Amino acid sequence: MSRSHAAADCVVETAAGSGEAGLVQRLAPTCSQSEREARAVQATAVLEALMKERRVELVGVIVQGDLDLDRLPVRGTVSSEQMVPEEREGGRGQGVRHIREALIIRDSVVRGAVRHGLSGTALLFAQPIDLRGTAFEGEVDFSRSIFQGAVQLSGATFQKEAYFVQGSFMKGLDCRETKFGPRARFHRSIFRGPVDCSGALFDGMAEFLEVTFEQSAVFERARFGSGTGFSGSRFAREANFEEAIFSRDAFFAFSVFEETVVFSGARFLGSADFSGAVFRKPDDLAKARFDVPPLLTNASRVSEASPTSGSGPSFGSYAVTAACLALAVALLVYAWKI
């Protein structure tokens, strides 16, 4: 690793030697905007490093141009374990492109689009992907991606559409305080690890339709600015929407909550549709605030169990029994006098 000083306060670290070390460039927070512009990295250089199976680590940089991941070569097919359920049931093979080394673009600005999925192939990330704090000015499409490592998006900003359709997240997703723009789509994705979107802002449409959450799913204090859809999704572990704000219509129709679900302090400013939803454990919808009464047609809910075993009769039950006995005695005395 070599270090240079573009200016008195701008420290730049790059990979020493040839491209064997990958594409590495770190700019200190003290670098000015003009210094970052002068050291901008072209998206073609990122693609070239990925094609050569080299590490990409960019921190505090500007990436210019569109990053077309569909240009990566197809190598093999997706295994049945990596497929989303509907593809596995169809039994059809799917070509796969590989990114074998870590992809880190942190605290940076990506000025072009990031595209994948147009060719119908899968994209496999063998290592973790770290996009924390990065602003994406163009559309981002990671549809049909298989993330074998953790996906870190905390603090990132997606100014345009962000697509993660039919994604497989093997180690989970960290999207704390992430800002999503006009549309965020996770349609038919599967999360085998935990999801933490605490404090995230979904400014436009948020689509989590027919999604499988195998571990905890946390949307605490998340803000949903437009229509929100979790219909047909399955929450195998705890689901937490505590103090979340749904500014428009929210759909949880036919969702299945296998474990505890928390809506305490949540606010629904539009309609809330829980039709056909299944709650395996007692819910706390009564602790949420609804501007419009929620729709619970054909929803399956579990009531809180009343205390029985070991608690004994309450004082109220003793009082009622005593009153009944006193009345009976009075009636007997009255009948005897007559």
Side-chain angles (χ1 to χ4, degrees):
M1 190 70 63
S2 63
R3 175 176 295 190
S4 61
H5 294 264
D9 296 325
C10 183
V11 179
V12 181
E13 294 182 355
T14 57
S18 64
E20 292 295 326
L23 178 60
V24 179
Q25 183 166 303
R26 306 191 195 100
L27 273 66
T30 52
C31 294
S32 66
Q33 181 65 22
S34 60
E35 289 164 342
R36 297 181 195 281
E37 296 279 1
R39 291 182 172 271
V41 175
Q42 297 300 314
T44 52
V46 176
L47 183 63
E48 182 180 359
L50 296 177
M51 284 183 169
K52 293 179 179 179
E53 300 183 357
R54 302 287 187 250
R55 175 186 180 88
V56 174
E57 182 177 355
L58 305 175
V59 180
V61 307
I62 294 173
V63 179
Q64 297 276 20
D66 295 340
L67 180 58
D68 187 1
L69 299 175
D70 278 321
R71 293 179 58 188
L72 292 169
V74 177
R75 295 172 179 170
T77 58
V78 180
S79 66
S80 60
E81 293 79 11
Q82 295 168 333
M83 292 181 183
V84 291
E86 59 271 15
E87 293 173 347
R88 190 182 306 123
E89 293 169 2
R92 54 188 175 87
Q94 185 180 31
V96 60
R97 307 173 193 274
H98 292 264
I99 295 180
R100 300 188 184 279
E101 297 297 329
L103 175 61
I104 301 171
I105 305 178
R106 194 170 67 242
D107 298 325
S108 300
V109 177
V110 179
R111 290 188 170 165
V114 180
R115 297 193 182 97
H116 175 261
L118 298 178
S119 61
T121 58
L123 178 62
L124 190 150
F125 291 85
Q127 302 294 330
I129 175 172
D130 185 354
L131 307 176
R132 289 175 294 171
T134 292
F136 294 88
E137 297 182 352
E139 178 185 296
V140 175
D141 191 348
F142 284 111
S143 295
R144 301 183 183 89
S145 290
I146 302 165
F147 302 97
Q148 291 190 324
V151 178
Q152 300 183 73
L153 304 179
S154 61
T157 300
F158 296 89
Q159 297 181 12
K160 294 188 177 179
E161 293 81 359
Y163 298 109
F164 296 85
V165 178
Q166 293 182 4
S168 295
F169 296 79
M170 303 299 181
K171 299 293 185 181
L173 170 66
D174 180 2
C175 53
R176 292 170 297 165
E177 308 294 337
T178 303
K179 297 179 176 63
F180 293 94
R183 174 169 289 183
R185 293 196 66 195
F186 292 85
H187 182 54
R188 289 186 174 178
S189 289
I190 181 168
F191 295 92
R192 301 193 186 280
V195 175
D196 190 351
C197 290
S198 301
L201 169 63
F202 297 88
D203 199 34
M205 295 287 292
E207 299 180 27
F208 290 85
L209 305 174
E210 300 177 70
V211 170
T212 299
F213 298 92
E214 294 190 352
Q215 301 297 327
S216 61
V218 180
F219 293 88
E220 183 179 355
R221 296 178 290 99
R223 292 170 292 166
F224 299 90
S226 190
T228 306
F230 285 89
S231 295
S233 293
R234 175 177 173 268
F235 299 83
R237 294 289 185 268
E238 179 184 2
N240 188 343
F241 293 90
E242 185 175 3
E243 296 185 354
I245 299 176
F246 300 86
S247 298
R248 300 287 182 89
D249 297 345
F251 298 90
F252 290 85
F254 302 102
S255 293
V256 178
F257 300 93
E258 300 285 358
E259 295 292 338
T260 304
V261 56
V262 179
F263 283 102
S264 176
R267 296 184 60 188
F268 292 84
L269 306 183
S271 63
D273 188 354
F274 291 89
S275 299
V278 177
F279 297 87
R280 306 288 190 198
K281 299 288 182 68
D283 62 77
D284 66 346
L285 289 175
K287 297 180 181 179
R289 173 180 172 183
F290 297 90
D291 284 10
V292 179
L295 188 60
L296 292 162
T297 306
N298 296 325
S300 176
R301 305 172 70 187
V302 178
S303 300
E304 289 281 4
S306 57
T308 53
S309 60
S311 59
S314 64
F315 176 79
S317 63
Y318 277 125
V320 171
T321 302
C324 291
L325 289 174
L327 179 60
V329 171
L331 288 173
L332 287 173
V333 171
Y334 179 73
W336 179 79
K337 287 183 178 180
I338 291 175

